């Protein structure tokens, strides 16, 4: 035997020895070996992080990017590899870095920094001077605002001794308020459904999720009043101890029967439903959350809690069963997966591809949770939601949602197998240690559920209204995506233009819509989100269409 053959034979014996087998099967050793072999990639990633840190050091910070969903296609199964997007120019000129923006802003007159579109911080109009100063002021201020929006990076990574430091450096909202174009947290005087009062004037409400118009229904209001008279305003405790009432149990039974499920569970908020359910079920290192890339923020937060217990998160391409199939095929035999999807996606108005998802879930013996917050009362026979819409009620393990839309109240609900819900209520800390839903909220939701079944014309009228608006908006030339429901997004795909169109619709036409801009949505996904009610009359809708047409043409969207 040659020297080479003897060395090969010795190597084979060594490789098969019990000592070597124990070493290579040790997770820590293998992770170390993998890290050494992947050193090149790790160094590359470190260089990228260092470059990003240097860029932040130079260019400053603005709004936080708090949601992994806003990372668009990063780490998503089935996503097309993204190409680097060119920097977006400011309105009317080349893009500026934040440093350049600061120099430019200092060089502008004070009036340019305090006004936009001739509107000052107090909302007063300012006419152009003899030299066209008003036009210059508006253009300069719009350019500054556009540059600020385009140059935003993340605040959330700022660290140091003072955890308030990032708050002191957050200036974007203050700047927008000073310029009269801040669209969020606007306090309404009151809201009567299709019309509301804002700062003393009546506006047409196209920004509410009051889909069936039940917040002002006499039966719903009376139920809330009677509950206060009988039970008081609050139970002042959690469901675990003194916070459970027969009223809670009664609504749980009605929700379960309505959906054809064994049991129901009532929560204090809809957001809590996802946080509690996901964190309770995915509570160890052998658990995997399989979520649609565009799932609601409450789902992401529930997954974050589960990750703290060791669970993994895997995102799949939006509403793509093939991508979900690929992702599920890669989990270990010792891992269990909970697939979680919105039934109707809250920003797009799109219905999930539930038939395809159910087929894949069954194939891989996973479990399925559907968030029907925007589906209840909107789609499906009797308004029963997404699973009923496709005739798949028995194929979805858990269905959850909120009271704060079609049920005209505040709270949340979950239906499914009794044993599963019993486990959740005993192991979900965010359920166990949260005060229970207040009696008037529970009573209002229960009355709304009854009205939904007693007055089916509301769902029919809602469908008539949103179908009319979708058809007419498309005829005008607006881009609406794949909406099929009461949520109709109008894609603008630019932060500044979205905000300025929102302002024009409100100021000039008394039309209230919701602007969605980055980082609340991914880049180039900016929309004016509109939503419709059964109680909208044709006069409301026609006024809205006239306003959309004029403002859309004014800003070059159509």
């Amino acid at each position: 035997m040659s020297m080479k053959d003897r060395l090969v034979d010795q190597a084979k014996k060594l490789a098969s020895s019990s000592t070597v087998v124990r070493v290579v099967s040790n997770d820590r050793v293998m992770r170390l070996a993998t890290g050494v072999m992947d050193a090149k990639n790790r160094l590359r990633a470190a260089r990228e992080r260092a470059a990003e840190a240097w860029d932040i050091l130079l260019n400053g910070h603005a709004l936080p990017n708090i949601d992994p969903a806003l990372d668009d296609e990063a780490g998503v199964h089935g996503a097309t590899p993204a190409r680097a997007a060119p920097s977006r120019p400011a309105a009317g000129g080349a893009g500026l870095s934040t440093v350049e923006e600061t120099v430019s802003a200092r060089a502008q007159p004070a009036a340019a920094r305090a006004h936009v579109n001739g509107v000052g911080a107090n909302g007063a109009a300012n006419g152009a001077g003899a030299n066209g100063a008003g036009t210059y002021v508006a253009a300069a201020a719009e350019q500054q605002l556009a540059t600020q929006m385009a140059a935003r990076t993340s605040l959330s990574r700022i660290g140091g001794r003072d955890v308030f430091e990032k708050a002191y450096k957050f200036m974007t909202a203050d700047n927008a308020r000073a310029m009269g174009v801040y669209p969020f947290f606007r306090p309404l005087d009151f809201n009567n459904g299709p019309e509301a009062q804002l700062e003393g004037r009546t506006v047409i409400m196209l920004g509410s999720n009051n889909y069936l118009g039940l917040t002002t229904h006499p039966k719903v209001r009376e139920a809330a009043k009677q509950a206060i008279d009988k039970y008081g305003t609050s139970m002042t405790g959690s469901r675990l101890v003194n916070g459970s009432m027969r009223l809670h149990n009664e609504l749980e039974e009605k929700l379960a029967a309505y959906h054809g499920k064994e049991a129901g569970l009532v929560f204090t908020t809809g957001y809590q439903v996802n946080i509690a359910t996901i964190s309770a079920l995915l509570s160890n290192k052998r658990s995997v959350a399989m979520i649609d890339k565009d799932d609601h923020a409450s789902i992401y937060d529930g997954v974050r809690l589960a990750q703290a217990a060791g669970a993994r998160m895997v995102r799949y391409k939006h509403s793509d069963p093939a991508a979900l199939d690929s992702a599920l095929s890669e989990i270990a035999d010792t891992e269990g997966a909970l697939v979680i999807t919105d039934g109707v996606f809250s920003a797009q108005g799109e219905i999930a591809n539930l038939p395809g998802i159910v087929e894949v879930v069954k194939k891989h013996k996973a479990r399925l949770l559907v968030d029907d917050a925007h589906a209840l009362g909107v789609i499906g026979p009797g308004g029963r939601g997404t699973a009923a819409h496709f005739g798949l009620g028995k194929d979805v393990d858990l269905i959850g949602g909120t009271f704060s839309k079609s049920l005209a109240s505040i709270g949340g609900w979950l239906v499914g197998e009794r044993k599963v819900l019993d486990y959740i209520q005993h192991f979900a800390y965010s359920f166990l240690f949260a005060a229970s839903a207040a009696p008037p909220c529970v009573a209002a939701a229960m009355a709304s559920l009854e009205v939904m079944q007693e007055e089916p014309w509301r769902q029919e009228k809602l469908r008539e209204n949103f179908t009319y608006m979708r058809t007419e908006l498309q005829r005008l030339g607006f881009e609406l995506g794949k909406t099929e429901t009461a949520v109709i997004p109008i894609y603008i795909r630019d932060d500044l233009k979205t905000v300025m169109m929102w302002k024009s619709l409100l100021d000039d036409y008394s039309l209230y819509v919701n602007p969605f801009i980055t980082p609340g949505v991914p880049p180039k996904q900016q929309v004016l989100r509109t939503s419709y009610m059964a109680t909208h009359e044709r006069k409301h809708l026609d006024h809205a269409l006239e306003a959309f047409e004029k403002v859309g043409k004014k800003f070059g969207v159509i």
Side-chain angles (χ1 to χ4, degrees):
M1 180 182 292
S2 66
M3 177 65 71
K4 179 180 178 180
D5 291 335
R6 284 198 298 271
L7 289 173
V8 169
D9 185 60
Q10 290 175 0
K12 288 181 178 179
K13 290 179 180 178
L14 179 63
S16 61
S17 69
S18 59
T19 302
V20 172
V21 169
R22 281 197 303 273
V23 169
V24 300
S25 62
N26 186 288
D27 287 343
R28 293 181 179 178
V29 173
M30 291 308 296
R31 283 198 296 271
L32 177 62
T34 301
V36 172
M37 290 186 288
D38 194 38
K40 183 178 179 180
N41 290 334
R42 289 169 179 265
L43 287 172
R44 183 185 299 113
R47 285 197 301 270
E48 291 173 356
R49 287 195 297 272
E52 180 183 5
W54 178 250
D55 180 68
I56 290 174
L57 180 65
L58 288 178
N59 295 335
H61 309 265
L63 292 177
N65 190 346
I66 59 172
D67 194 334
L70 307 181
D71 209 4
D72 209 14
E73 305 297 342
V76 178
H77 267 266
T80 304
R83 293 177 295 176
S87 59
R88 183 167 55 211
L96 303 174
S97 71
T98 307
V99 175
E100 292 169 323
E101 165 203 310
T102 304
V103 174
S104 174
R106 288 172 180 167
Q108 294 171 2
R113 298 195 297 271
H115 300 76
V116 63
N117 260 10
V119 179
N122 61 2
N126 296 276
N131 298 324
T135 303
Y136 168 76
V137 166
E142 284 187 22
Q143 178 168 337
Q144 181 187 0
L145 184 61
T147 304
Q148 288 176 341
M149 290 179 171
R152 285 181 297 183
T153 52
S154 175
L155 273 170
S156 58
R157 295 175 186 171
I158 294 179
R161 293 290 297 175
D162 187 357
V163 296
F164 286 2
E165 182 183 0
K166 58 178 71 69
Y168 300 138
K169 291 185 176 181
F170 173 50
M171 298 302 298
T172 307
D174 283 342
N175 292 341
R177 290 187 189 103
M179 297 167 75
V181 293
Y182 183 68
F184 308 117
F185 301 102
R186 300 287 294 266
L188 295 170
D189 302 326
F190 59 82
N191 183 5
N192 279 339
E195 293 183 358
Q197 186 169 301
L198 174 67
E199 297 169 359
R201 64 190 178 109
T202 299
V203 297
I204 295 174
M205 176 54 68
L206 298 189
S208 170
N209 299 317
N210 184 18
Y211 297 127
L212 299 179
L214 296 180
T215 58
T216 57
H217 194 285
K219 180 174 179 176
V220 176
R221 285 185 165 182
E222 185 60 28
K225 292 176 184 177
Q226 290 183 6
I228 291 176
D229 291 341
K230 184 174 182 178
Y231 302 106
T233 57
S234 171
M235 296 303 294
T236 66
S238 70
R239 293 289 303 273
L240 177 67
V241 285
N242 68 298
S244 288
M245 302 180 296
R246 293 189 184 278
L247 198 63
H248 288 108
N249 298 139
E250 184 181 352
L251 179 54
E252 288 168 347
E253 292 169 3
K254 289 185 176 182
L255 284 165
Y258 177 70
H259 287 281
K261 295 295 185 182
E262 185 180 5
L265 192 59
V266 166
F267 293 75
T268 312
T269 70
Y271 208 98
Q272 183 194 33
V273 172
N274 285 329
I275 290 177
T277 302
I278 296 168
S279 61
L281 294 176
L282 306 180
S283 56
N284 56 60
K285 294 181 180 180
R286 295 183 300 279
S287 304
V288 182
M290 287 280 176
I291 65 175
D292 187 292
K293 180 183 75 69
D294 290 353
D295 274 347
H296 189 263
S298 60
I299 292 174
Y300 275 95
D301 274 355
V303 173
R304 288 188 184 101
L305 279 179
Q307 287 177 308
R312 292 197 296 123
M313 175 179 73
V314 177
R315 298 190 298 154
Y316 62 89
K317 187 178 179 181
H318 173 56
S319 207
D320 188 335
L324 174 61
D325 186 28
S326 173
L328 284 170
S329 68
E330 294 182 10
I331 70 171
D333 292 339
T334 56
E335 292 180 312
L338 177 65
V339 177
I340 313 162
T341 182
D342 287 3
V344 170
F345 290 88
S346 60
Q348 303 101 316
E350 180 184 354
I351 303 174
N353 183 356
L354 200 57
I357 292 170
V358 165
E359 182 180 352
V360 171
V361 167
K362 287 185 173 181
K363 172 184 173 182
H364 292 277
K365 295 181 174 57
R367 295 292 185 176
L368 178 59
L369 165 62
V370 174
D371 181 343
D372 254 358
H374 292 269
L376 184 73
V378 179
I379 61 173
R384 286 174 173 79
T386 312
H389 175 74
F390 290 109
L392 296 170
K394 295 181 180 180
D395 299 298
V396 176
D397 298 297
L398 295 169
I399 305 173
T402 178
F403 296 167
S404 63
K405 296 171 177 57
S406 290
L407 293 182
S409 185
I410 291 291
W413 56 274
L414 183 71
V415 294
E417 291 183 57
R418 186 194 67 81
K419 287 294 291 181
V420 177
L421 269 57
D422 193 38
Y423 177 88
I424 291 169
Q425 74 175 358
H426 282 92
F427 285 86
Y429 284 4
S430 51
F431 177 83
L432 282 169
F433 301 108
S436 64
C441 296
V442 177
M446 185 150 46
S448 295
L449 185 64
E450 293 170 0
V451 173
M452 281 173 55
Q453 297 168 80
E454 294 166 356
E455 301 180 7
W457 66 264
R458 289 179 178 271
Q459 188 184 353
E460 295 166 8
K461 182 62 176 177
L462 174 63
R463 175 171 293 279
E464 177 187 318
N465 283 346
F466 71 68
T467 301
Y468 174 71
M469 288 300 294
R470 184 178 65 221
T471 301
E472 291 302 304
L473 286 168
Q474 288 173 333
R475 181 185 61 79
L476 290 173
F478 286 105
E479 181 188 356
L480 308 181
K482 299 179 180 179
T483 178
E484 304 170 74
T485 63
V487 175
I488 300 181
I490 300 174
Y491 283 87
I492 311 301
R493 303 195 184 280
D494 177 87
D495 281 326
L496 178 64
K497 191 175 290 187
T498 302
V499 171
M500 299 313 295
M501 287 183 68
W502 159 82
K503 181 174 175 60
S504 181
L505 288 165
L506 183 60
D507 290 351
D508 302 332
Y509 299 96
S510 296
L511 190 64
Y512 191 108
V513 301
N514 293 316
F516 282 16
I517 61 174
T518 59
V521 295
K524 297 299 181 183
Q525 297 297 312
Q526 298 90 336
V527 301
L528 292 172
R529 181 190 185 271
T530 68
S531 50
Y532 300 90
M533 310 178 204
T535 47
H536 275 129
E537 299 175 17
R538 187 57 60 91
K539 66 180 181 180
H540 298 130
L541 305 182
D542 286 341
H543 174 83
L545 288 168
E546 180 183 355
F548 283 131
E549 181 177 15
K550 291 179 178 178
V551 174
K553 288 179 177 178
K554 175 182 176 181
F555 287 92
V557 174
I558 56 174

